[in-house]
């Protein structure tokens, strides 16, 4: 299912709220939301420091939560909203979960695996295709990251 542009923006605003909450916990401000049929299944921000877990990126936490809520590791028809372009680990997990769509905000020139550094979804050997919409509220997401790292430098 393709969400409407209005729903895409509303869900990305929720992802931005999660990113802000992550920053308040001292985590890199990345937020994510998983929606299926216009309903939020899971939402989270980065938790790598909080959980002492290098895999606890916002996307991974949300995929785990949505799979538990759905009682299925396949999230068919799901749309994942994330404030920044996913890394290779997260993009791979999206393929494994068989999500339908990815909507993200800012590109990640240092580690993005959707189009900036890699194009994992485009690899001809991959047996699942994920529809991608990029750039939604990108400046809001990029600003959160810039401000977070400016304070730490």
């Amino acid at each position: 299912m393709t969400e409407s542009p209005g729903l895409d923006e509303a869900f990305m605003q929720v992802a931005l709220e999660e990113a802000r909450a992550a920053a308040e916990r001292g985590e890199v401000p990345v937020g994510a939301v998983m929606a299926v049929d216009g309903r939020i299944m899971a939402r989270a921000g980065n938790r790598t420091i909080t959980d002492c877990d290098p895999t606890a990126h916002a996307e991974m936490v949300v995929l785990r939560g949505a799979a538990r809520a759905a009682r299925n590791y396949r999230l068919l028809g799901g749309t994942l909203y994330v404030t920044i372009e996913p890394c290779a680990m997260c993009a791979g997990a999206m393929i494994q979960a068989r999500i339908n769509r990815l909507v993200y905000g800012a590109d990640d020139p240092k580690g993005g695996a959707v189009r900036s550094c890699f194009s994992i979804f485009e690899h001809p050997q991959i047996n699942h295709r994920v529809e991608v919409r990029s750039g939604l509220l990108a400046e809001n997401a990029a600003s959160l990251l810039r401000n977070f790292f400016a304070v730490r430098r």
Side-chain angles (χ1 to χ4, degrees):
M1 172 187 168
T2 300
E3 303 291 349
S4 73
L7 272 180
D8 281 355
E9 188 164 327
F11 289 143
M12 186 60 80
Q13 290 288 358
V14 175
L16 286 164
E17 289 172 15
E18 291 294 333
R20 288 183 200 96
E24 289 174 11
R25 292 191 308 274
E27 300 276 359
V28 174
V30 177
V33 170
M34 172 60 74
V36 177
D37 295 328
R39 186 175 64 107
I40 293 177
M41 299 289 293
R43 58 188 280 176
N46 270 357
R47 298 190 54 85
T48 56
I49 297 166
T50 303
D51 293 355
C52 198
D53 179 356
T55 70
H57 292 191
E59 301 96 308
M60 299 295 285
V61 175
V62 162
L63 288 170
R64 290 177 190 131
R68 279 192 302 275
R71 296 180 177 213
N72 193 333
Y73 69 104
R74 300 287 196 215
L75 298 170
L76 301 172
T79 299
L80 193 143
Y81 298 85
V82 62
T83 56
I84 192 165
E85 181 181 5
C87 72
M89 172 184 68
C90 294
M94 289 175 214
I95 292 166
Q96 295 302 313
R98 302 298 193 264
I99 69 165
N100 203 45
R101 295 176 69 226
L102 165 67
V103 178
Y104 73 87
D107 288 335
D108 181 1
K110 293 183 179 180
V114 175
R115 73 178 193 183
S116 293
C117 292
F118 307 103
S119 298
I120 289 176
F121 295 153
E122 302 304 318
H123 194 283
Q125 297 297 99
I126 299 298
N127 66 345
H128 177 73
R129 296 290 170 233
V130 176
E131 179 187 328
V132 177
R133 178 179 179 194
S134 62
L136 183 63
L137 303 177
E139 184 48 42
N140 302 55
S143 170
L144 280 173
L145 288 163
R146 273 193 310 273
N147 293 341
F148 178 83
F149 287 112
V151 168
R152 278 147 184 78
R153 289 191 181 113

